[in-house]
Amino acid sequence: MLDRIKACLPSLAPAEQRVAHLVLSDARAFANLPVTELAARARVSKPTVIRFCRSVGYDGLSDFKLKLAGNVSEGVPFIHRSVDTDDKTGDVLVKVIDNTVAAFLKYRNDASPALIEKAALALVSAYKSGQRIEFFGVGNSGIVAQDAQHKFFRLGVHAIAYSDGHLQVMSASLLKPGDCVVIISNSGRTRDLMDACDIARKKGATTIVITASGSPLAAAGHIHLAADHPEGYDRYSPMVSRLLHLMIIDILATTVALRIGGDKLQPLLKEMKNNLRSKRYA
């Protein structure tokens, strides 16, 4: 990416060249600073910063910074490296956190806002029409399903979470058109979840799957929210996929909250928080 900017330097206007030199001198800072600070450091106007981004082939500053942040992150030491037997605690801390940050940045760059919006609207539609909303997951994905139920319950959206395969199949058999089920799986190859997804579709429910691209579950759902982070088991590997799934649930819950309407939610959330606080010890 930086080589591409260097190649473009001769064709840039003098003010845009100052922005280019700022990127080349400190790419990490450029990826994290607001446009006002970037313009001040390059001694140009804010529109010039945006023009520079477009001159080197990006949609604007946001698109440029997203790509730059992803590239910078991939250059951080230890990213995508396994924890070693002779690692010190400081090495473990860096590797676990950097692997997680890298996975989050990759998802941010690759995620489809259109599909997230489609999934959120399906959940909102089920909520507004009084239909069932359910979350299915097994193992670590079962923990994510429980977290999803908690987050949606805080919004006043009644949902059920199942982490037992038999209950998932039985519950899917009771679904009806207009119901919505979110199925979470890292591998997308769990037999019980596949069976539950197949039954839910036959019953007319909308199926949203959070799983790896190219998996059987990805092809079986109506809406696929790709979560691609393979876990390595030859040595210890941080369970980043679970954190990634939790983040996707956060994005869905936040989007649903916005579509439901903040005016109604704020008093409800405030009342919940006050009631919970009253139960705590001083």
Side-chain angles (χ1 to χ4, degrees), residues 172-232:
S173 303
L174 299 173
L175 295 174
K176 299 176 181 177
D179 292 337
C180 193
V181 58
V182 180
I183 304 173
I184 308 150
S185 172
N186 184 44
S187 68
R189 299 179 184 278
T190 304
R191 181 61 181 270
D192 286 341
L193 292 176
M194 285 294 301
D195 288 345
C197 183
D198 183 53
I199 293 168
R201 284 199 65 153
K202 288 178 179 176
K203 301 296 287 188
T206 300
T207 53
I208 301 167
V209 294
I210 301 174
T211 190
S213 300
S215 67
L217 186 60
H222 289 107
I223 304 169
H224 173 218
L225 302 182
D228 298 310
H229 186 82
E231 303 288 355

Short mmCIF file of all heavy atoms in Angstrom, two decimals, residues 172-232:
data_model
loop_
_atom_site.label_atom_id
_atom_site.label_comp_id
_atom_site.label_asym_id
_atom_site.label_seq_id
_atom_site.Cartn_x
_atom_site.Cartn_y
_atom_site.Cartn_z
N ALA A 172 -36.88 -25.87 16.72
CA ALA A 172 -36.99 -25.55 15.29
C ALA A 172 -38.27 -26.15 14.70
O ALA A 172 -38.89 -25.56 13.80
CB ALA A 172 -35.77 -26.07 14.54
N SER A 173 -38.68 -27.30 15.25
CA SER A 173 -39.90 -27.95 14.75
C SER A 173 -41.16 -27.16 15.09
O SER A 173 -42.21 -27.36 14.47
CB SER A 173 -40.02 -29.36 15.36
OG SER A 173 -38.86 -30.13 15.06
N LEU A 174 -41.06 -26.26 16.07
CA LEU A 174 -42.21 -25.46 16.50
C LEU A 174 -42.26 -24.08 15.86
O LEU A 174 -43.20 -23.32 16.09
CB LEU A 174 -42.19 -25.30 18.03
CG LEU A 174 -42.26 -26.60 18.85
CD1 LEU A 174 -42.07 -26.29 20.33
CD2 LEU A 174 -43.59 -27.31 18.62
N LEU A 175 -41.25 -23.75 15.06
CA LEU A 175 -41.20 -22.43 14.44
C LEU A 175 -42.26 -22.29 13.34
O LEU A 175 -42.72 -23.27 12.77
CB LEU A 175 -39.81 -22.17 13.86
CG LEU A 175 -38.67 -22.08 14.89
CD1 LEU A 175 -37.33 -21.95 14.18
CD2 LEU A 175 -38.89 -20.90 15.84
N LYS A 176 -42.59 -21.02 13.06
CA LYS A 176 -43.60 -20.72 12.05
C LYS A 176 -43.07 -19.61 11.12
O LYS A 176 -42.09 -18.94 11.44
CB LYS A 176 -44.89 -20.25 12.73
CG LYS A 176 -45.52 -21.29 13.66
CD LYS A 176 -46.73 -20.71 14.36
CE LYS A 176 -47.35 -21.72 15.32
NZ LYS A 176 -48.49 -21.15 16.07
N PRO A 177 -43.74 -19.40 9.99
CA PRO A 177 -43.35 -18.29 9.11
C PRO A 177 -43.38 -16.97 9.88
O PRO A 177 -44.30 -16.70 10.63
CB PRO A 177 -44.41 -18.32 8.01
CG PRO A 177 -44.84 -19.75 7.95
CD PRO A 177 -44.81 -20.23 9.38
N GLY A 178 -42.34 -16.16 9.70
CA GLY A 178 -42.23 -14.90 10.42
C GLY A 178 -41.32 -14.98 11.62
O GLY A 178 -40.83 -13.96 12.11
N ASP A 179 -41.09 -16.20 12.14
CA ASP A 179 -40.13 -16.38 13.23
C ASP A 179 -38.71 -16.19 12.70
O ASP A 179 -38.47 -16.27 11.48
CB ASP A 179 -40.26 -17.77 13.86
CG ASP A 179 -41.58 -17.94 14.61
OD1 ASP A 179 -42.16 -16.93 15.02
OD2 ASP A 179 -42.03 -19.10 14.77
N CYS A 180 -37.78 -15.97 13.61
CA CYS A 180 -36.40 -15.71 13.20
C CYS A 180 -35.45 -16.46 14.13
O CYS A 180 -35.59 -16.41 15.35
CB CYS A 180 -36.11 -14.21 13.26
SG CYS A 180 -34.60 -13.71 12.44
N VAL A 181 -34.50 -17.19 13.55
CA VAL A 181 -33.53 -17.93 14.35
C VAL A 181 -32.12 -17.57 13.89
O VAL A 181 -31.84 -17.51 12.69
CB VAL A 181 -33.77 -19.45 14.27
CG1 VAL A 181 -33.70 -19.95 12.84
CG2 VAL A 181 -32.78 -20.20 15.14
N VAL A 182 -31.24 -17.29 14.86
CA VAL A 182 -29.83 -16.97 14.59
C VAL A 182 -29.00 -18.18 15.02
O VAL A 182 -29.05 -18.58 16.18
CB VAL A 182 -29.37 -15.71 15.34
CG1 VAL A 182 -27.91 -15.41 15.02
CG2 VAL A 182 -30.26 -14.52 14.99
N ILE A 183 -28.27 -18.76 14.07
CA ILE A 183 -27.49 -19.98 14.35
C ILE A 183 -26.01 -19.64 14.27
O ILE A 183 -25.53 -19.10 13.27
CB ILE A 183 -27.85 -21.08 13.34
CG1 ILE A 183 -29.36 -21.35 13.38
CG2 ILE A 183 -27.07 -22.35 13.63
CD1 ILE A 183 -29.85 -22.29 12.30
N ILE A 184 -25.28 -19.94 15.35
CA ILE A 184 -23.88 -19.52 15.49
C ILE A 184 -22.99 -20.76 15.54
O ILE A 184 -23.21 -21.67 16.33
CB ILE A 184 -23.70 -18.70 16.78
CG1 ILE A 184 -24.71 -17.55 16.83
CG2 ILE A 184 -22.29 -18.15 16.88
CD1 ILE A 184 -25.12 -17.14 18.22
N SER A 185 -21.96 -20.78 14.69
CA SER A 185 -21.03 -21.91 14.67
C SER A 185 -19.72 -21.48 14.03
O SER A 185 -19.72 -20.84 12.98
CB SER A 185 -21.62 -23.08 13.88
OG SER A 185 -20.68 -24.11 13.71
N ASN A 186 -18.61 -21.82 14.66
CA ASN A 186 -17.31 -21.45 14.08
C ASN A 186 -17.03 -22.27 12.82
O ASN A 186 -16.70 -21.72 11.78
CB ASN A 186 -16.19 -21.66 15.10
CG ASN A 186 -14.85 -21.20 14.56
OD1 ASN A 186 -14.75 -20.15 13.95
ND2 ASN A 186 -13.81 -21.99 14.76
N SER A 187 -17.19 -23.58 12.91
CA SER A 187 -16.87 -24.44 11.77
C SER A 187 -18.00 -24.49 10.74
O SER A 187 -17.76 -24.67 9.55
CB SER A 187 -16.59 -25.87 12.25
OG SER A 187 -17.78 -26.47 12.75
N GLY A 188 -19.25 -24.35 11.21
CA GLY A 188 -20.39 -24.48 10.31
C GLY A 188 -20.64 -25.90 9.86
O GLY A 188 -21.28 -26.14 8.84
N ARG A 189 -20.15 -26.87 10.65
CA ARG A 189 -20.28 -28.27 10.27
C ARG A 189 -20.90 -29.14 11.38
O ARG A 189 -20.84 -30.36 11.31
CB ARG A 189 -18.90 -28.84 9.89
CG ARG A 189 -18.29 -28.11 8.71
CD ARG A 189 -16.92 -28.65 8.34
NE ARG A 189 -16.34 -27.84 7.26
CZ ARG A 189 -16.62 -27.99 5.98
NH1 ARG A 189 -17.47 -28.94 5.60
NH2 ARG A 189 -16.07 -27.23 5.07
N THR A 190 -21.46 -28.51 12.41
CA THR A 190 -22.07 -29.26 13.50
C THR A 190 -23.40 -29.85 13.05
O THR A 190 -24.29 -29.13 12.59
CB THR A 190 -22.29 -28.34 14.72
OG1 THR A 190 -21.04 -27.75 15.08
CG2 THR A 190 -22.83 -29.11 15.90
N ARG A 191 -23.55 -31.16 13.20
CA ARG A 191 -24.72 -31.87 12.67
C ARG A 191 -26.03 -31.36 13.26
O ARG A 191 -27.00 -31.11 12.53
CB ARG A 191 -24.57 -33.38 12.94
CG ARG A 191 -25.72 -34.22 12.40
CD ARG A 191 -25.84 -34.10 10.89
NE ARG A 191 -26.96 -34.88 10.39
CZ ARG A 191 -26.88 -36.15 10.00
NH1 ARG A 191 -25.72 -36.80 10.08
NH2 ARG A 191 -27.93 -36.79 9.55
N ASP A 192 -26.07 -31.18 14.60
CA ASP A 192 -27.31 -30.73 15.23
C ASP A 192 -27.74 -29.36 14.72
O ASP A 192 -28.93 -29.12 14.46
CB ASP A 192 -27.15 -30.68 16.76
CG ASP A 192 -27.14 -32.07 17.38
OD1 ASP A 192 -27.61 -33.02 16.71
OD2 ASP A 192 -26.67 -32.21 18.52
N LEU A 193 -26.78 -28.46 14.57
CA LEU A 193 -27.11 -27.12 14.08
C LEU A 193 -27.57 -27.16 12.63
O LEU A 193 -28.48 -26.42 12.24
CB LEU A 193 -25.90 -26.19 14.23
CG LEU A 193 -25.50 -25.83 15.66
CD1 LEU A 193 -24.23 -24.98 15.67
CD2 LEU A 193 -26.62 -25.08 16.38
N MET A 194 -26.95 -28.00 11.83
CA MET A 194 -27.37 -28.17 10.44
C MET A 194 -28.80 -28.69 10.37
O MET A 194 -29.62 -28.20 9.58
CB MET A 194 -26.43 -29.12 9.71
CG MET A 194 -25.08 -28.53 9.35
SD MET A 194 -25.21 -27.21 8.13
CE MET A 194 -25.98 -28.08 6.77
N ASP A 195 -29.10 -29.70 11.22
CA ASP A 195 -30.46 -30.26 11.24
C ASP A 195 -31.47 -29.19 11.67
O ASP A 195 -32.55 -29.07 11.08
CB ASP A 195 -30.52 -31.45 12.20
CG ASP A 195 -29.79 -32.67 11.64
OD1 ASP A 195 -29.50 -32.68 10.43
OD2 ASP A 195 -29.51 -33.60 12.43
N ALA A 196 -31.12 -28.43 12.72
CA ALA A 196 -32.03 -27.39 13.21
C ALA A 196 -32.27 -26.32 12.16
O ALA A 196 -33.40 -25.83 11.98
CB ALA A 196 -31.46 -26.77 14.49
N CYS A 197 -31.20 -25.94 11.44
CA CYS A 197 -31.33 -24.93 10.38
C CYS A 197 -32.24 -25.43 9.27
O CYS A 197 -33.11 -24.70 8.77
CB CYS A 197 -29.95 -24.58 9.83
SG CYS A 197 -29.96 -23.28 8.58
N ASP A 198 -32.06 -26.69 8.88
CA ASP A 198 -32.87 -27.28 7.81
C ASP A 198 -34.34 -27.33 8.20
O ASP A 198 -35.23 -26.98 7.41
CB ASP A 198 -32.35 -28.68 7.50
CG ASP A 198 -33.09 -29.33 6.34
OD1 ASP A 198 -33.16 -28.70 5.27
OD2 ASP A 198 -33.59 -30.46 6.51
N ILE A 199 -34.62 -27.73 9.45
CA ILE A 199 -36.01 -27.81 9.93
C ILE A 199 -36.63 -26.41 9.98
O ILE A 199 -37.78 -26.21 9.56
CB ILE A 199 -36.06 -28.48 11.31
CG1 ILE A 199 -35.65 -29.95 11.20
CG2 ILE A 199 -37.45 -28.37 11.92
CD1 ILE A 199 -35.39 -30.61 12.53
N ALA A 200 -35.85 -25.42 10.51
CA ALA A 200 -36.35 -24.05 10.62
C ALA A 200 -36.72 -23.49 9.25
O ALA A 200 -37.76 -22.82 9.10
CB ALA A 200 -35.31 -23.16 11.30
N ARG A 201 -35.91 -23.75 8.26
CA ARG A 201 -36.21 -23.27 6.90
C ARG A 201 -37.47 -23.91 6.36
O ARG A 201 -38.31 -23.24 5.75
CB ARG A 201 -35.03 -23.57 5.96
CG ARG A 201 -33.85 -22.65 6.14
CD ARG A 201 -32.93 -22.67 4.95
NE ARG A 201 -33.61 -22.13 3.77
CZ ARG A 201 -32.98 -21.54 2.76
NH1 ARG A 201 -31.67 -21.43 2.78
NH2 ARG A 201 -33.64 -21.10 1.72
N LYS A 202 -37.62 -25.22 6.58
CA LYS A 202 -38.81 -25.92 6.09
C LYS A 202 -40.08 -25.41 6.78
O LYS A 202 -41.17 -25.43 6.17
CB LYS A 202 -38.65 -27.42 6.33
CG LYS A 202 -37.65 -28.08 5.40
CD LYS A 202 -37.47 -29.56 5.70
CE LYS A 202 -36.47 -30.19 4.74
NZ LYS A 202 -36.22 -31.62 5.07
N LYS A 203 -39.94 -24.93 8.01
CA LYS A 203 -41.09 -24.40 8.74
C LYS A 203 -41.39 -22.94 8.36
O LYS A 203 -42.37 -22.38 8.82
CB LYS A 203 -40.85 -24.49 10.25
CG LYS A 203 -40.60 -25.91 10.77
CD LYS A 203 -41.82 -26.80 10.59
CE LYS A 203 -42.93 -26.46 11.56
NZ LYS A 203 -44.03 -27.44 11.52
N GLY A 204 -40.56 -22.35 7.52
CA GLY A 204 -40.82 -20.99 7.03
C GLY A 204 -40.18 -19.89 7.83
O GLY A 204 -40.42 -18.70 7.57
N ALA A 205 -39.33 -20.24 8.83
CA ALA A 205 -38.66 -19.22 9.64
C ALA A 205 -37.47 -18.64 8.87
O ALA A 205 -36.89 -19.31 8.01
CB ALA A 205 -38.18 -19.82 10.96
N THR A 206 -37.11 -17.40 9.20
CA THR A 206 -35.91 -16.79 8.62
C THR A 206 -34.69 -17.26 9.39
O THR A 206 -34.65 -17.16 10.62
CB THR A 206 -36.00 -15.26 8.67
OG1 THR A 206 -37.14 -14.81 7.94
CG2 THR A 206 -34.75 -14.63 8.09
N THR A 207 -33.70 -17.78 8.69
CA THR A 207 -32.50 -18.29 9.35
C THR A 207 -31.32 -17.37 9.06
O THR A 207 -30.98 -17.11 7.90
CB THR A 207 -32.17 -19.71 8.86
OG1 THR A 207 -32.11 -19.72 7.44
CG2 THR A 207 -33.25 -20.70 9.32
N ILE A 208 -30.70 -16.87 10.12
CA ILE A 208 -29.50 -16.04 10.03
C ILE A 208 -28.35 -16.88 10.58
O ILE A 208 -28.42 -17.36 11.71
CB ILE A 208 -29.64 -14.75 10.85
CG1 ILE A 208 -30.84 -13.93 10.36
CG2 ILE A 208 -28.36 -13.92 10.81
CD1 ILE A 208 -31.25 -12.82 11.30
N VAL A 209 -27.30 -17.09 9.78
CA VAL A 209 -26.20 -17.94 10.24
C VAL A 209 -24.92 -17.10 10.37
O VAL A 209 -24.57 -16.34 9.48
CB VAL A 209 -25.97 -19.14 9.30
CG1 VAL A 209 -27.17 -20.07 9.35
CG2 VAL A 209 -25.72 -18.70 7.86
N ILE A 210 -24.27 -17.23 11.51
CA ILE A 210 -22.98 -16.58 11.76
C ILE A 210 -21.95 -17.69 11.78
O ILE A 210 -21.83 -18.45 12.75
CB ILE A 210 -23.00 -15.82 13.10
CG1 ILE A 210 -24.10 -14.76 13.10
CG2 ILE A 210 -21.64 -15.19 13.38
CD1 ILE A 210 -24.28 -14.06 14.44
N THR A 211 -21.20 -17.82 10.69
CA THR A 211 -20.29 -18.95 10.55
C THR A 211 -19.27 -18.69 9.47
O THR A 211 -19.30 -17.65 8.80
CB THR A 211 -21.09 -20.24 10.25
OG1 THR A 211 -20.24 -21.37 10.35
CG2 THR A 211 -21.71 -20.19 8.85
N ALA A 212 -18.37 -19.64 9.28
CA ALA A 212 -17.29 -19.51 8.29
C ALA A 212 -17.82 -19.58 6.87
O ALA A 212 -18.76 -20.32 6.57
CB ALA A 212 -16.24 -20.59 8.52
N SER A 213 -17.20 -18.82 5.99
CA SER A 213 -17.55 -18.87 4.56
C SER A 213 -17.23 -20.24 4.00
O SER A 213 -16.26 -20.89 4.39
CB SER A 213 -16.76 -17.81 3.78
OG SER A 213 -17.04 -16.51 4.27
N GLY A 214 -18.07 -20.70 3.09
CA GLY A 214 -17.83 -21.97 2.43
C GLY A 214 -18.24 -23.19 3.22
O GLY A 214 -18.10 -24.32 2.74
N SER A 215 -18.76 -23.00 4.43
CA SER A 215 -19.19 -24.15 5.25
C SER A 215 -20.60 -24.58 4.84
O SER A 215 -21.34 -23.81 4.23
CB SER A 215 -19.16 -23.77 6.73
OG SER A 215 -20.14 -22.79 7.01
N PRO A 216 -21.00 -25.81 5.20
CA PRO A 216 -22.37 -26.26 4.88
C PRO A 216 -23.43 -25.35 5.50
O PRO A 216 -24.46 -25.09 4.88
CB PRO A 216 -22.42 -27.67 5.49
CG PRO A 216 -21.00 -28.12 5.50
CD PRO A 216 -20.19 -26.89 5.77
N LEU A 217 -23.19 -24.88 6.71
CA LEU A 217 -24.17 -24.01 7.37
C LEU A 217 -24.30 -22.67 6.66
O LEU A 217 -25.39 -22.12 6.57
CB LEU A 217 -23.77 -23.79 8.84
CG LEU A 217 -24.77 -23.02 9.71
CD1 LEU A 217 -26.11 -23.73 9.77
CD2 LEU A 217 -24.21 -22.81 11.12
N ALA A 218 -23.19 -22.16 6.13
CA ALA A 218 -23.23 -20.89 5.40
C ALA A 218 -24.17 -20.98 4.20
O ALA A 218 -24.88 -20.03 3.88
CB ALA A 218 -21.82 -20.51 4.94
N ALA A 219 -24.16 -22.15 3.54
CA ALA A 219 -25.01 -22.33 2.36
C ALA A 219 -26.45 -22.63 2.74
O ALA A 219 -27.36 -22.43 1.92
CB ALA A 219 -24.46 -23.47 1.50
N ALA A 220 -26.67 -23.08 3.98
CA ALA A 220 -28.02 -23.52 4.38
C ALA A 220 -28.90 -22.38 4.87
O ALA A 220 -30.13 -22.48 4.82
CB ALA A 220 -27.91 -24.58 5.47
N GLY A 221 -28.31 -21.29 5.37
CA GLY A 221 -29.11 -20.20 5.94
C GLY A 221 -29.62 -19.22 4.90
O GLY A 221 -29.08 -19.13 3.79
N HIS A 222 -30.66 -18.46 5.28
CA HIS A 222 -31.15 -17.40 4.39
C HIS A 222 -30.16 -16.24 4.32
O HIS A 222 -29.92 -15.68 3.25
CB HIS A 222 -32.50 -16.86 4.91
CG HIS A 222 -33.63 -17.81 4.76
ND1 HIS A 222 -34.20 -18.49 5.83
CD2 HIS A 222 -34.33 -18.21 3.66
CE1 HIS A 222 -35.18 -19.25 5.41
NE2 HIS A 222 -35.28 -19.11 4.09
N ILE A 223 -29.62 -15.84 5.48
CA ILE A 223 -28.70 -14.70 5.55
C ILE A 223 -27.41 -15.19 6.21
O ILE A 223 -27.42 -15.67 7.34
CB ILE A 223 -29.30 -13.54 6.37
CG1 ILE A 223 -30.65 -13.11 5.79
CG2 ILE A 223 -28.34 -12.36 6.41
CD1 ILE A 223 -31.44 -12.16 6.68
N HIS A 224 -26.30 -15.05 5.50
CA HIS A 224 -25.01 -15.51 6.03
C HIS A 224 -24.15 -14.32 6.42
O HIS A 224 -23.78 -13.51 5.58
CB HIS A 224 -24.29 -16.36 4.98
CG HIS A 224 -22.89 -16.73 5.37
ND1 HIS A 224 -21.85 -16.77 4.49
CD2 HIS A 224 -22.38 -17.07 6.59
CE1 HIS A 224 -20.75 -17.12 5.13
NE2 HIS A 224 -21.04 -17.30 6.40
N LEU A 225 -23.83 -14.21 7.72
CA LEU A 225 -22.89 -13.21 8.20
C LEU A 225 -21.55 -13.93 8.40
O LEU A 225 -21.36 -14.65 9.38
CB LEU A 225 -23.38 -12.60 9.51
CG LEU A 225 -24.77 -11.93 9.46
CD1 LEU A 225 -25.12 -11.33 10.81
CD2 LEU A 225 -24.84 -10.87 8.36
N ALA A 226 -20.64 -13.72 7.46
CA ALA A 226 -19.38 -14.47 7.46
C ALA A 226 -18.50 -14.08 8.63
O ALA A 226 -18.27 -12.90 8.89
CB ALA A 226 -18.64 -14.23 6.15
N ALA A 227 -18.02 -15.09 9.36
CA ALA A 227 -17.09 -14.90 10.47
C ALA A 227 -15.94 -15.86 10.26
O ALA A 227 -16.00 -17.02 10.67
CB ALA A 227 -17.78 -15.14 11.81
N ASP A 228 -14.90 -15.40 9.58
CA ASP A 228 -13.82 -16.29 9.16
C ASP A 228 -12.59 -16.11 10.05
O ASP A 228 -11.83 -15.15 9.90
CB ASP A 228 -13.44 -16.01 7.70
CG ASP A 228 -14.60 -16.28 6.77
OD1 ASP A 228 -15.19 -17.37 6.88
OD2 ASP A 228 -14.93 -15.40 5.94
N HIS A 229 -12.41 -17.03 10.96
CA HIS A 229 -11.19 -17.05 11.76
C HIS A 229 -10.91 -18.48 12.18
O HIS A 229 -11.42 -18.96 13.18
CB HIS A 229 -11.31 -16.17 13.01
CG HIS A 229 -10.01 -16.09 13.76
ND1 HIS A 229 -9.00 -15.24 13.40
CD2 HIS A 229 -9.54 -16.79 14.82
CE1 HIS A 229 -7.97 -15.40 14.21
NE2 HIS A 229 -8.27 -16.34 15.09
N PRO A 230 -10.10 -19.20 11.41
CA PRO A 230 -9.79 -20.60 11.75
C PRO A 230 -8.98 -20.69 13.03
O PRO A 230 -8.04 -19.91 13.23
CB PRO A 230 -8.98 -21.08 10.54
CG PRO A 230 -8.39 -19.83 9.95
CD PRO A 230 -9.40 -18.75 10.19
N GLU A 231 -9.35 -21.60 13.89
CA GLU A 231 -8.61 -21.82 15.13
C GLU A 231 -7.58 -22.93 14.91
O GLU A 231 -7.87 -23.93 14.27
CB GLU A 231 -9.57 -22.24 16.26
CG GLU A 231 -10.69 -21.23 16.53
CD GLU A 231 -10.20 -19.96 17.21
OE1 GLU A 231 -9.00 -19.88 17.56
OE2 GLU A 231 -11.02 -19.05 17.38
N GLY A 232 -6.37 -22.74 15.44
CA GLY A 232 -5.34 -23.77 15.34
C GLY A 232 -5.29 -24.59 16.61
O GLY A 232 -5.33 -24.04 17.71
#
